[in-house]
């Protein structure tokens, strides 16, 4: 049996002093074939531990289910960590933040407006309990008590920034203990007296989250908890990006100096992030303080190990700092991975999206349109269709706005875009004839992951009127798009000029390219506007010329020797018919 315990100023592992030097590595943001490589590089930097969240929303897409395969094969990740000789800090939430879709809370739960999230409301704790009933049994063999790598488990996540329901935290503690978790439990909160007071539990180790002001942050942690290990559970060494904002970074020397201050003070640390990875598919979250701000596809975080797994400047600097305080493997630092030679991909065929809807099942809404949440739709798009009663120039009004970005079409012609971040609700349109078709394509740009707006619905969020007349009789088409649809064989060549309405409507663009030996690469899309990209059916994530991100990471395991398929869902007009695979990522100009 392996046991992590605490002393008045540190940790003991099986009675031997242990300083935790950890790095955050989210298995669900890394292609599974790359897990061994990333874990190996964690150990070579000098880490003895890795930390990961567990995203409830992906592991349990529907009540009563549990997904533990592919990108979500957490038991395999834990076995690989153990094989590399690394301990693991496990953070199962239920709320994880993580700039992740909905903060990890399932859409089927947050869609109920009456549930008090992250509270002792029995509707919420009951759902958590039923999830843990399924999640924990396959994880218990990997706990330290069974000889596995997991030495500590977190209770909730920065709860002091959200609420003060101690009964809820006690319920979570008991839920873990009664289901067989014997390991050390800990909470983590920003190093603020009020947050620490509201987010901590008696008998549970309190840890802090901060990126600077090391001495003051540790003092506040010690003031709150007079005895026990000092630990920064999230040492922020970079940051994340929003569409339309700058690409964030942090000066390497500054971050390394603060890491040295932490370790010199005798504290344990979890570097957030050691390796950020990617928000593949529709998994990014969003902030919504005054304005809705969705997170980009890359979660590079300016981390020591880049999004594509190469050691960056912080890797070398942090390794030198760690070597002053703990043993570092006497092995060479890995070289950058081989990259695919630059390749041009011709997008030779184009299939408009709207005509494909005749092949998809619609949910009728006789009165007002249904939100994505009412349709049971977690992510992706919803396309709404109805008819307009009269011709002429008039105002379309969307009561409640849109969640999060709506493209409007009249008889197939694009007439405008509404965005939640601009608080858009009204659009002037010209209707060519009575009975003209109105299509509204609404994109979920990512569910809020922090603060009181978690659970904000998606899709059309209220009644729709045209010049004051309610529009009824909607067909609602959920379009999850985790994989692209099977495109019809009669695709048209991508040769129509972009000035035509046909080429300005959303369309799938398809092309192939040859690969001799698969290797990492980066998809660049100059001339394309906004959409989604798949290679060989793998959803790389969103692209948007709004930036800052300009390339999408393509992991080598996504590719295959021989012919490979690229499909883009381009939502706007484009003059482009080519895409490029390059050997250099471009996440935008750094804003230190």
């Amino acid at each position: 049996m392996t046991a992590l315990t605490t002393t008045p100023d540190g940790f003991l592992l099986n009675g031997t002093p242990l300083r935790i030097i950890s790095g955050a590595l989210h298995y669900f943001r890394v292609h599974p074939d790359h897990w061994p490589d990333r874990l190996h590089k964690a150990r070579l930097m000098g880490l003895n531990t890795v930390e990961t969240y567990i995203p409830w929303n992906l592991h349990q897409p529907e009540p009563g289910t549990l997904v533990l395969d592919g990108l979500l094969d957490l038991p395999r990740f834990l076995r690989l960590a153990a094989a590399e000789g690394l301990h693991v800090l496990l953070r199962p939430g239920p709320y994880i933040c993580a700039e992740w879709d909905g903060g990890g809370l399932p859409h089927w739960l947050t869609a109920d407006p009456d549930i008090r999230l992250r509270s002792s409301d029995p509707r919420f704790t009951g759902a958590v309990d039923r999830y843990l009933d399924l999640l924990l049994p396959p994880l218990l063999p990997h706990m330290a008590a069974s000889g596995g790598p997991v030495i500590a488990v977190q209770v909730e996540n920065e709860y002091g920034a959200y609420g003060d329901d101690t009964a809820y935290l006690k319920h979570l503690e008991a839920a873990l203990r009664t289901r067989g978790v014997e390991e050390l439990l800990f909470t983590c909160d920003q190093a603020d007296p009020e947050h620490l007071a509201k987010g901590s539990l008696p008998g549970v180790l309190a840890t802090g989250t901060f990126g600077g002001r090391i001495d003051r942050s540790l003092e506040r942690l010690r003031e709150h908890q007079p005895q026990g290990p000092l630990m920064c559970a999230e040492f922020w060494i970079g940051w994340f990006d929003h569409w339309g904002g700058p690409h964030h970074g942090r000066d390497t020397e500054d971050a390394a100096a603060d890491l040295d201050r932490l370790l010199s003070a005798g504290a344990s640390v979890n570097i957030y992030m050691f390796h950020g990875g990617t928000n593949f598919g529709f998994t990014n979250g969003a902030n919504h303080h005054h304005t809705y701000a969705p997170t980009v596809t890359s979660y590079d975080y300016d981390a020591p190990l880049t999004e594509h797994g190469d050691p960056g400047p912080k890797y070398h600097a942090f390794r030198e700092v760690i070597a002053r305080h703990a043993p570092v493997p006497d092995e060479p630092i890995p070289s950058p991975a081989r990259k695919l030679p630059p390749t041009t991909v011709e997008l030779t065929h184009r299939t408009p999206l709207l005509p494909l809807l005749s092949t998809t099942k619609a949910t009728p809404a006789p009165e007002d349109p249904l939100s994505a949440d009412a349709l049971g739709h977690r992510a992706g798009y919803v396309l709404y269709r109805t008819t307009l009663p009269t011709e002429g120039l008039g105002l379309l009004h969307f009561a409640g706005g849109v969640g999060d970005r709506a493209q409007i079409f009249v008889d197939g012609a694009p007439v405008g875009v509404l965005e939640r971040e601009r608080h858009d609700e009204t659009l002037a349109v010209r209707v060519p004839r009575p009975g003209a078709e109105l299509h509204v394509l609404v994109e979920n740009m990512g569910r809020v992951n922090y603060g009181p707006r978690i659970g904000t619905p998606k899709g059309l969020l209220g009644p729709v009127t045209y010049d004051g007349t309610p529009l009824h009789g909607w067909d609602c088409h959920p379009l999850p798009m985790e994989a692209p649809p099977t495109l019809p064989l009669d695709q048209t060549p991508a040769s129509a000029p972009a000035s035509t309405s046909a080429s300005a409507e959303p369309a799938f663009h398809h092309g192939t390219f040859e690969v001799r030996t698969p290797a990492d690469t980066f998809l660049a899309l100059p001339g394309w506007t906004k959409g989604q990209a798949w290679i060989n059916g793998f959803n790389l994530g969103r692209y948007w010329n709004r930036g800052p991100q300009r390339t999408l990471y393509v992991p080598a395991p996504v590719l295959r020797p021989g012919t490979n398929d690229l499909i883009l869902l381009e939502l706007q007009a484009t003059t482009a018919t080519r895409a490029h695979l390059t050997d250099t990522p471009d996440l935008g100009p750094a804003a230190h």
Side-chain angles (χ1 to χ4, degrees), residues 88-375:
V88 176
L89 305 177
L90 214 52
R91 303 171 76 186
Y95 163 77
I96 64 172
C97 186
E99 291 72 59
W100 185 254
D101 187 56
L105 298 179
H107 75 97
W108 51 261
L109 185 68
T110 61
D112 183 344
D114 296 324
I115 286 183
R116 289 184 293 114
L117 303 174
R118 303 177 70 190
S119 80
S120 52
D121 179 345
R123 292 166 296 186
F124 184 73
T125 55
V128 173
D129 289 345
R130 291 187 291 274
Y131 166 57
L132 294 179
D133 285 340
L134 297 173
L135 176 72
L136 289 177
L139 300 186
L140 290 179
H142 305 282
M143 298 291 175
S146 300
V150 178
I151 58 174
V153 178
Q154 183 175 293
V155 179
E156 244 280 353
N157 186 53
E158 290 191 327
Y159 186 67
Y162 181 85
D164 58 1
D165 188 342
T166 303
Y168 164 59
L169 296 180
K170 288 181 177 178
H171 179 97
L172 293 181
E173 178 189 13
L176 294 169
R177 291 297 189 213
T178 58
R179 288 166 177 80
V181 176
E182 302 175 24
E183 284 62 36
L184 180 77
L185 299 181
F186 66 99
T187 58
C188 83
D189 285 282
Q190 296 168 39
D192 170 274
E194 182 181 357
H195 288 196
L196 287 165
K198 293 194 298 184
S200 299
L201 272 175
V204 174
L205 177 68
T207 68
T209 63
F210 47 89
R213 305 178 67 180
I214 302 301
D215 294 341
R216 181 59 181 141
S217 296
L218 292 176
E219 285 173 11
R220 286 181 165 180
L221 191 55
R222 181 55 79 211
E223 289 165 2
H224 171 76
Q225 184 172 254
Q227 287 195 331
L230 288 171
M231 180 164 179
C232 179
E234 288 187 16
F235 171 49
W236 303 320
I237 53 77
W239 209 245
F240 53 93
D241 298 338
H242 291 129
W243 290 113
H247 173 50
H248 293 88
R250 182 176 176 186
D251 179 75
T252 295
E253 291 185 8
D254 177 63
D258 272 349
L259 177 61
D260 193 45
R261 290 185 186 97
L262 263 172
L263 297 178
S264 296
S268 287
V269 65
N270 177 53
I271 296 165
Y272 195 96
M273 298 289 298
F274 161 68
H275 173 51
T278 308
N279 297 314
F280 293 120
F282 301 101
T283 57
N284 66 277
N287 284 114
H288 194 159
H289 301 298
H290 302 294
T291 301
Y292 173 78
T295 305
V296 304
T297 299
S298 171
Y299 200 66
D300 177 81
Y301 217 88
D302 199 29
L305 209 62
T306 63
E307 179 182 10
H308 49 285
D310 286 347
K314 289 191 178 78
Y315 188 96
H316 302 275
F318 286 10
R319 192 172 191 264
E320 290 180 11
V321 169
I322 292 168
R324 298 175 204 152
H325 303 274
V328 169
D330 185 18
E331 300 176 42
I333 294 174
S335 300
R338 191 178 71 84
K339 306 299 185 293
L340 201 70
T343 302
T344 297
V345 185
E346 299 286 346
L347 281 300
T348 54
H349 287 80
R350 177 180 170 280
T351 304
L353 172 65
L354 299 187
L356 285 179
L357 292 179
S358 61
T359 65
T360 68
K361 184 178 179 180
T363 298
E367 298 294 322
D368 298 323
L370 299 173
S371 71
D373 302 77
L375 293 165

Side-chain angles (χ1 to χ4, degrees), residues 289-543:
H289 301 298
H290 302 294
T291 301
Y292 173 78
T295 305
V296 304
T297 299
S298 171
Y299 200 66
D300 177 81
Y301 217 88
D302 199 29
L305 209 62
T306 63
E307 179 182 10
H308 49 285
D310 286 347
K314 289 191 178 78
Y315 188 96
H316 302 275
F318 286 10
R319 192 172 191 264
E320 290 180 11
V321 169
I322 292 168
R324 298 175 204 152
H325 303 274
V328 169
D330 185 18
E331 300 176 42
I333 294 174
S335 300
R338 191 178 71 84
K339 306 299 185 293
L340 201 70
T343 302
T344 297
V345 185
E346 299 286 346
L347 281 300
T348 54
H349 287 80
R350 177 180 170 280
T351 304
L353 172 65
L354 299 187
L356 285 179
L357 292 179
S358 61
T359 65
T360 68
K361 184 178 179 180
T363 298
E367 298 294 322
D368 298 323
L370 299 173
S371 71
D373 302 77
L375 293 165
H377 189 54
R378 180 188 77 82
Y381 308 85
V382 180
L383 196 138
Y384 299 89
R385 178 196 170 279
T386 189
T387 57
L388 293 158
T390 58
E391 64 181 296
L393 184 63
L395 289 179
L396 271 176
H397 179 67
F398 295 81
V402 300
D404 300 303
R405 184 177 188 270
Q407 294 172 244
I408 320 297
F409 306 87
V410 175
D411 276 350
V415 295
V417 175
L418 302 179
E419 294 187 345
R420 172 176 254 156
E421 63 186 274
R422 296 197 309 237
H423 309 285
D424 290 338
E425 293 184 359
T426 302
L427 180 70
V429 299
R430 182 172 296 280
V431 180
R433 61 183 178 86
E437 283 197 324
L438 173 69
H439 285 97
V440 184
L441 178 63
V442 184
E443 179 180 6
N444 171 351
M445 287 289 295
R447 293 178 181 270
V448 173
N449 58 256
Y450 185 84
R453 288 188 170 93
I454 292 173
T456 300
K458 301 295 183 178
L460 292 184
L461 305 179
V464 182
T465 60
Y466 176 69
D467 273 355
T469 300
L471 299 181
H472 294 153
W474 293 86
D475 286 335
C476 310
H477 296 261
L479 305 172
M481 295 291 183
E482 284 298 341
T486 301
L487 300 180
L489 296 177
D490 59 345
Q491 299 171 337
T492 57
S495 58
S499 59
T500 69
S501 62
S503 62
E505 70 179 356
F508 293 95
H509 299 256
H510 179 223
T512 62
F513 59 99
E514 298 297 315
V515 169
R516 177 172 294 178
T517 304
D520 283 355
T521 186
F522 308 92
L523 179 64
L525 297 165
W528 301 85
T529 304
K530 187 182 196 304
Q532 208 78 16
W534 296 264
I535 287 185
N536 297 330
F538 185 90
N539 194 332
L540 299 175
R542 291 183 175 87
Y543 65 88

